[in-house]
Amino acid sequence: MIKTLLIANRGEIARRIIRTCQAGGIRTVAVFSDPDTDAPHVREADFAVNLPGASPTDTYLRADLIVEAALKAGADAVHPGYGFLSENAGFARKVQEAGLTWVGPEPDAIEAMGSKVAAKKRMAAAGVPTLPELDPETVTEFPVLIKASAGGGGRGMRIVREKAEFADALASARREAESAFGDPTVFCEPLLEHARHVEVQILADTHGTVWALGERECSIQRRHQKIVEESPSPAVTDDIRKRLFAAATAAAESIGYVGAGTVEFMLKGEDFHFLEVNTRLQVEHPVTELVHGVDLVEWQLRIAEGAKLPTQTPEPNGHAIEVRLYAEDPDRDWRPASGTLHRFHVPGDIRLDSGVEDGAEISVHYDPMLAKVIAHAPTRAAAIRKLATALESARIHGLVTNRRLLVDILRHDAFLNGDTHTGFLAEHEFARTVDPQPFALAAALANAATRRVGHLPLGWRNVRSQRPKAKFLVGETEIEVEYDPKQATPDVVALDLDGVRTPFHVARYGDLVEVDSPRGSVSLRIVPRFPEPETGLAPGATVAPMPGTVVRVGVQQGDQVEAGAELLVLEAMKMEHRVLATSAGTVTELLVEKAQQVNAGDVLAVVAEKSGDEQ
């Protein structure tokens, strides 16, 4: 029996595993990096061991330190969660060699699926439908998809439609694969347009029983990362489901799989092709748990202890949908956001798997996912309504997120009709922001109500020639509103907009004002009436948009560049971000080099703009 479990992970999945362990009477050991010292998963575990450092390379990817932590804390088992070392056969072996129970498949099975190139060959031999593999060195037909052989989650993946784009995309994919998985190997496949991403949850014990526990559709993706997942798939018929389950079971049996895993496929029409086997728990596992009434983490632990699965697979019940809520800025090409999350509350009859809470600091070192919000209902339509309403009613203050996009997807006619595919976001237009004017007006009125002289709001005049004004920043855009302070209320302001009375809820955190309403949410910064003088940047200075590491420098001092040319590439929050020249000119200063750490606002380079005649 497992008595004390070390969780080799952080954030949401660490808390998820802790919940199951607490219910089952298993003590838990958390590991944590320096930025995660006060993280919820650290407080909720029975014991915690520090992994000194900040970056994943120095902490959560250090197999030796994690095994040492398990032994030091008296753990007798290790659960890897997902990401980090969860699909690292070498780590699994280290755990077993230390006399600890590994909660996952055998290292040989992990290794067999660890290389997607080798995995495809093995699956083809087992009779599982596969797409042809293309050698990156000899690709001539486009479009193609470049994929990292050693990992997933969209890392090291690029779509290439033209031959001229291929070399740069290949180099970028290899860099990202090396950074994320320690292996730069990539391969190519023909790109299936308008196909669906459908996967089958498998659960296998050591006694020969394999469950195919329903399918999930994960087609709506951005940057090849899933953001909406549901079960069952609206496109899978009974016949397709039967064939999918047979293929997934054959895949598991061909490698002697044990534990929880996922077999992923691309589905187009009636045909499907193997993508990969994820030899771990998936991020989207909650939708399967809700539909089938099982605790997959509990079964992982029981199987690791030698338990048998019942011969009968649990029957599905209803429909479940999950969305991934990320801290990212839609106005800056969905750039990951970091900083203080002042308020985090999602109401309603939903499941919330989150690694954050009020006051959390979102670090630049890790994935920017704040939470998974999941709804379950008897029908797909009811689950959609429940989930969209919960997101619209949420209070998420301090960081911009992808919430509006998620709500708009859930309300979109094509999604409601089940007409989804991996190109869904490219095919449909979604507004990134709402009109900030009424939100700014509500903020001005609420602020006036909090600043009173006696019973009168500050700014009130018995006789006045003009109404008071207030200025705010929405992102980098300044807006000004006029208001009547007699209309003010402290935290809730009702505005009549085109004959429709709408409530606006206002919260303040220093100069940050967060305004929520049924029309959406807006973050504003108060522009002071008498701002302090600022030191200006040199003309042509390019600054770091976020903290990160320089992974590539594409220019040298003295180079002539055109507007939009790549100056360098930063890596932050597990993603690459290209820094481009805003104008044509000469690189007069280059202030960084490869592998250098930079902070947000640091000057990276200076491009002296060409004169009008030169341009």
Side-chain angles (χ1 to χ4, degrees):
M1 290 179 61
I2 295 172
K3 301 180 181 67
T4 304
L5 178 75
L6 181 135
I7 302 162
N9 219 292
R10 64 179 297 278
E12 171 267 320
I13 187 56
R15 297 182 81 187
R16 161 72 189 89
I17 297 167
I18 288 170
R19 285 201 304 272
T20 289
C21 289
Q22 288 174 338
I26 297 174
R27 292 178 299 184
T28 54
V29 181
V31 289
F32 63 96
S33 65
D34 293 342
D36 280 342
T37 298
D38 299 317
H41 79 276
V42 178
R43 296 197 309 271
E44 291 168 1
D46 295 291
F47 308 100
V49 179
N50 176 232
L51 305 175
S55 73
T57 306
D58 296 331
T59 55
Y60 299 107
L61 290 173
R62 285 286 300 273
D64 55 337
L65 294 182
I66 292 173
V67 171
E68 181 184 315
L71 297 173
K72 183 190 301 183
D76 51 15
V78 173
H79 192 305
Y82 55 69
F84 294 131
L85 293 170
S86 63
E87 295 180 279
N88 186 305
F91 176 52
R93 288 194 179 97
K94 285 181 184 293
V95 169
Q96 293 177 337
E97 289 165 0
L100 304 167
T101 297
W102 169 252
V103 182
E106 284 300 310
D108 287 349
I110 297 174
E111 208 157 56
M113 295 296 101
S115 165
K116 290 185 175 60
V117 175
K120 286 183 64 175
K121 291 181 171 62
R122 189 157 189 161
M123 291 301 105
V128 179
T130 60
L131 284 169
E133 177 196 334
L134 307 175
D135 184 345
E137 305 304 327
T138 59
V139 169
T140 56
E141 298 291 328
F142 295 90
V144 297
L145 186 62
I146 303 173
K147 300 174 71 174
S149 179
R155 311 288 191 260
M157 189 178 291
R158 301 288 187 274
I159 290 175
V160 184
R161 299 187 180 278
E162 305 289 342
K163 183 176 181 179
E165 304 168 356
F166 186 72
D168 286 345
L170 182 63
S172 176
R174 283 173 168 160
R175 278 199 312 275
E176 195 167 271
E178 170 72 30
S179 174
F181 313 115
D183 182 350
T185 306
V186 299
F187 66 99
C188 298
E189 290 178 339
L191 179 65
L192 289 182
E193 304 276 19
H194 291 84
R196 295 174 184 259
H197 184 129
V198 177
E199 59 192 30
V200 178
Q201 175 70 56
I202 56 172
L203 198 62
D205 62 21
T206 57
H207 307 280
T209 300
V210 179
W211 281 359
L213 203 60
E215 86 280 353
R216 299 184 289 252
E217 173 152 340
C218 313
S219 297
I220 298 184
Q221 304 175 8
R222 190 169 44 71
R223 294 192 180 120
H224 312 296
Q225 290 187 313
K226 307 163 188 173
I227 58 173
V228 182
E229 298 116 338
E230 61 181 306
S231 181
S233 166
V236 172
T237 63
D238 288 342
D239 175 65
I240 296 173
R241 182 171 293 115
K242 182 178 179 180
R243 291 187 289 119
L244 276 171
F245 287 7
T249 302
E253 291 175 342
S254 72
I255 57 173
Y257 198 84
V258 171
T262 299
V263 187
E264 301 193 343
F265 301 93
M266 293 300 289
L267 171 67
K268 190 166 184 177
E270 298 285 317
D271 299 323
F272 57 83
H273 299 88
F274 171 82
L275 275 178
E276 61 182 334
V277 175
N278 290 131
T279 54
R280 54 172 169 79
L281 199 65
Q282 289 278 83
V283 177
E284 56 272 25
H285 76 273
V287 295
T288 298
E289 293 186 320
L290 291 172
V291 168
H292 286 84
V294 299
D295 183 330
L296 289 173
V297 173
E298 179 187 357
W299 270 114
Q300 284 185 297
L301 298 171
R302 292 180 64 182
I303 288 169
E305 292 176 328
K308 291 183 178 181
L309 287 167
T311 54
Q312 185 66 38
T313 305
E315 291 295 323
N317 175 35
H319 201 99
I321 303 179
E322 170 184 297
V323 294
R324 302 190 192 187
L325 186 65
Y326 284 98
E328 52 190 8
D329 191 343
D331 287 334
R332 299 187 178 187
D333 194 28
W334 304 103
R335 182 183 299 162
S338 59
T340 303
L341 185 65
H342 296 293
R343 180 84 172 105
F344 185 72
H345 174 65
V346 185
D349 177 24
I350 49 92
R351 171 171 165 175
L352 183 69
D353 283 15
S354 171
V356 300
E357 55 190 17
D358 291 357
E361 288 294 325
I362 308 305
S363 168
V364 300
H365 298 290
Y366 312 113
D367 188 281
M369 188 174 76
L370 301 178
K372 303 177 311 196
V373 189
I374 315 104
H376 178 245
T379 66
R380 184 173 187 266
I384 291 171
R385 281 196 298 267
K386 185 185 290 189
L387 185 54
T389 300
L391 287 169
E392 287 174 326
S393 305
R395 300 287 181 263
I396 307 167
H397 298 163
L399 295 171
V400 289
T401 71
N402 66 334
R403 178 193 17 194
R404 177 180 171 84
L405 173 64
L406 297 175
V407 171
D408 287 349
I409 290 170
L410 293 171
R411 301 286 197 200
H412 197 279
D413 286 344
F415 182 80
L416 292 171
N417 292 331
D419 184 15
T420 59
H421 52 82
T422 54
F424 185 88
L425 293 184
E427 181 176 297
H428 301 288
E429 288 292 327
F430 292 94
R432 296 192 173 188
T433 56
V434 298
D435 177 11
Q437 204 72 20
F439 294 84
L441 177 58
L445 291 168
N447 285 349
T450 63
R451 299 173 296 156
R452 291 177 174 270
V453 179
H455 68 282
L456 295 176
L458 190 66
W460 183 88
R461 295 184 179 88
N462 188 36
V463 178
R464 61 184 185 273
S465 59
Q466 62 182 20
R467 301 164 77 186
K469 297 179 181 179
K471 292 182 179 180
F472 299 93
L473 283 176
V474 181
E476 297 178 357
T477 303
E478 183 177 294
I479 62 174
E480 183 178 69
V481 292
E482 291 185 353
Y483 63 96
D484 184 344
K486 289 190 298 183
Q487 300 172 358
T489 52
D491 301 307
V492 181
V493 177
L495 297 180
D496 192 320
L497 303 174
D498 298 324
V500 178
R501 178 162 292 189
T502 304
F504 291 79
H505 298 263
V506 183
R508 289 163 292 276
Y509 309 91
D511 68 344
L512 174 66
V513 184
E514 297 279 3
V515 186
D516 299 295
S517 88
R519 294 173 179 260
S521 301
V522 171
S523 298
L524 307 113
R525 292 277 176 187
I526 298 172
V527 176
R529 294 180 64 190
F530 306 104
E532 295 290 331
E534 296 182 1
T535 302
L537 293 171
T542 300
V543 299
M546 67 190 74
T549 303
V550 179
V551 295
R552 170 178 165 170
V553 179
V555 295
Q556 296 180 344
Q557 191 165 322
D559 283 357
Q560 300 290 319
V561 297
E562 297 300 319
E566 180 185 290
L567 301 178
L568 50 93
V569 177
L570 286 178
E571 182 182 81
M573 290 180 162
K574 297 186 179 180
M575 295 174 60
E576 286 194 351
H577 306 271
R578 300 172 68 219
V579 178
L580 309 178
T582 56
S583 62
T586 303
V587 180
T588 57
E589 293 185 66
L590 187 61
L591 305 174
V592 293
E593 58 187 20
K594 186 176 179 181
Q596 182 175 332
Q597 297 279 333
V598 298
N599 295 314
D602 284 358
V603 177
L604 307 174
V606 177
V607 177
E609 191 173 344
K610 292 179 180 178
S611 67
D613 289 342
E614 289 175 317
Q615 290 195 48

